[in-house]
Amino acid sequence: MSIMSNAYMKMFPMEAEKKVSGGKRNPMLDVPEFNKAWNLYRDTSLDIMKRYEYMAQCVNFTDKDTEAIKESKDIIAANLKAILDHIYYEKLINDPWLSRWFRDDNGKIAKEYVDIRRARQQRFLLKILECKWDEEFWNFVRWVGAVHVPIFGSEDLYIPIRLNLALWGYIHQYLFNLFAEELKNDPEKLRRITTAWTKLFWIIIDIYHIDYFGPWM
Amino acid sequence: MKKPVVWFEESCIKCAICAEEASEVIVFVETTGPQIKEGIDIIPHSEKIKRAAQFCPKECIKYHL
């Protein structure tokens, strides 16, 4: 044994122990459910459409929900400017933490930059309203999330997950209050639309955060 | 027949969304804003240009296609 391997064995005494095979396979690997879970894990990590399909069946997002989101188009289109103005010119730039992302080097709100971020949010909402749940759309959702992760985007754009969730939650309740106001005389339609948007929000939140986590999370 | 043309009006806020939506035909220049790629035939990209215009927050992409 060389000096180096001696040193190694002293450093890692477990490695020096004699290996005795138990002669057994790990029974877990023979359980069909494990293989099924592994295949599902692998597929939903690699294929964004499979990820969407899995999440959609998990939250029971169906064609009926897509129809309900289409039903809400008119309400959102008529209020789009007000929604975005509120989120950007009232909520974000006045929030003590979220407003950090909209300030210039002197600490003042950078109006032009706020306009650009607002434009991007508008595009996001318009794409959702197209209701095309295809690979291009889900890759777009994933990309929007990914640019807020430092290794993919700019460090200046990094947004902690808790702030993403806070903002998604805020938009969620803002839309719901809007629907409740607009549909106060049609509770069934209100139920349909708010249910569909809730499911869709959760799927979007999952796919938006894919690159925030290791695939095992 | 009118010659196909695309132009960007001054109200552009330089968000670069058009260049992302129609990257085959529109390029975003940091200093000047969006431009049609030099020497490109825009007709095959008509749909992409219209889509970019649809997402423009200031409706400043104009075209005859």
Side-chain angles (χ1 to χ4, degrees):
Chain A
M1 208 177 268
S2 71
I3 295 171
M4 282 304 287
S5 57
N6 250 337
Y8 180 86
M9 291 305 189
K10 278 180 188 161
M11 203 180 282
F12 302 103
M14 282 178 72
E15 292 290 313
E17 284 173 16
K18 194 183 172 191
K19 303 285 183 301
V20 181
S21 165
K24 292 176 191 167
R25 277 175 54 76
N26 185 334
M28 183 65 183
L29 299 176
D30 294 328
V31 175
E33 282 70 21
F34 173 83
N35 289 319
K36 212 169 139 188
W38 156 249
N39 288 336
L40 185 64
Y41 159 75
R42 186 193 59 202
D43 290 346
T44 53
S45 302
L46 298 176
D47 183 331
I48 199 156
M49 284 311 287
K50 289 205 169 134
R51 175 80 162 230
Y52 161 65
E53 284 158 15
Y54 173 75
M55 286 301 291
Q57 67 86 25
C58 230
V59 299
N60 194 27
F61 184 78
T62 66
D63 291 345
K64 282 185 182 168
D65 296 303
T66 301
E67 286 309 308
I69 288 171
K70 284 180 183 168
E71 274 188 278
S72 70
K73 260 186 193 177
D74 290 345
I75 299 172
I76 295 189
N79 292 283
L80 188 61
K81 189 177 175 305
I83 296 168
L84 293 166
D85 282 352
H86 174 76
I87 293 169
Y88 281 82
Y89 301 137
E90 289 176 42
K91 175 68 180 173
L92 283 176
I93 63 170
N94 289 313
D95 185 278
W97 198 354
L98 291 167
S99 65
R100 256 188 61 193
W101 277 264
F102 301 96
R103 294 185 187 281
D104 60 21
D105 294 342
N106 300 317
K108 289 187 177 152
I109 294 294
K111 169 79 171 59
E112 285 181 0
Y113 183 67
V114 179
D115 289 345
I116 287 173
R117 305 312 307 176
R118 180 190 182 282
R120 291 185 166 274
Q121 183 70 47
Q122 176 174 306
R123 176 170 64 153
F124 201 105
L125 277 173
L126 290 175
K127 278 187 188 267
I128 290 174
L129 291 174
E130 287 181 337
C131 293
K132 284 185 201 157
W133 319 126
D134 56 12
E135 197 172 350
E136 188 182 332
F137 173 76
W138 291 116
N139 272 325
F140 172 74
V141 173
R142 179 178 179 170
W143 174 81
V144 176
V147 297
H148 293 110
V149 182
I151 54 167
F152 294 109
S154 149
E155 281 189 21
D156 294 342
L157 280 178
Y158 168 63
I159 300 178
I161 290 170
R162 57 191 176 280
L163 293 189
N164 285 338
L165 294 176
L167 187 55
W168 280 109
Y170 187 81
I171 295 172
H172 194 184
Q173 65 79 31
Y174 186 84
L175 286 183
F176 276 32
N177 282 319
L178 176 69
F179 293 142
E181 181 59 33
E182 297 278 336
L183 299 170
K184 56 187 167 202
N185 298 321
D186 192 345
E188 175 48 33
K189 189 173 177 184
L190 175 63
R191 188 198 59 76
R192 257 194 332 266
I193 288 177
T194 50
T195 303
W197 272 95
T198 302
K199 294 175 187 178
L200 182 65
F201 263 116
W202 281 106
I203 300 173
I204 287 177
I205 287 167
D206 171 57
I207 291 180
Y208 185 94
H209 287 107
I210 285 179
D211 297 298
Y212 271 83
F213 299 108
W216 60 88
M217 292 179 174
Chain B
M1 193 180 155
K2 272 185 182 170
K3 192 183 169 194
V5 62
V6 178
W7 71 98
F8 303 91
E9 292 194 333
E10 279 181 12
S11 52
C12 173
I13 57 169
K14 298 188 174 68
C15 64
I17 287 174
C18 54
E20 285 167 16
E21 287 295 328
S23 56
E24 301 87 343
V25 61
I26 299 173
V27 63
F28 184 77
V29 182
E30 199 76 36
T31 47
T32 54
Q35 290 174 7
I36 294 294
K37 281 187 182 173
E38 218 168 292
I40 200 162
D41 179 7
I42 57 178
I43 288 296
H45 305 289
S46 297
E47 288 311 310
K48 282 274 185 180
I49 292 167
K50 287 176 187 173
R51 191 162 168 75
Q54 183 195 336
F55 285 117
C56 175
K58 294 291 174 186
E59 297 176 6
C60 64
I61 305 175
K62 306 293 178 192
Y63 51 80
H64 295 307
L65 292 166

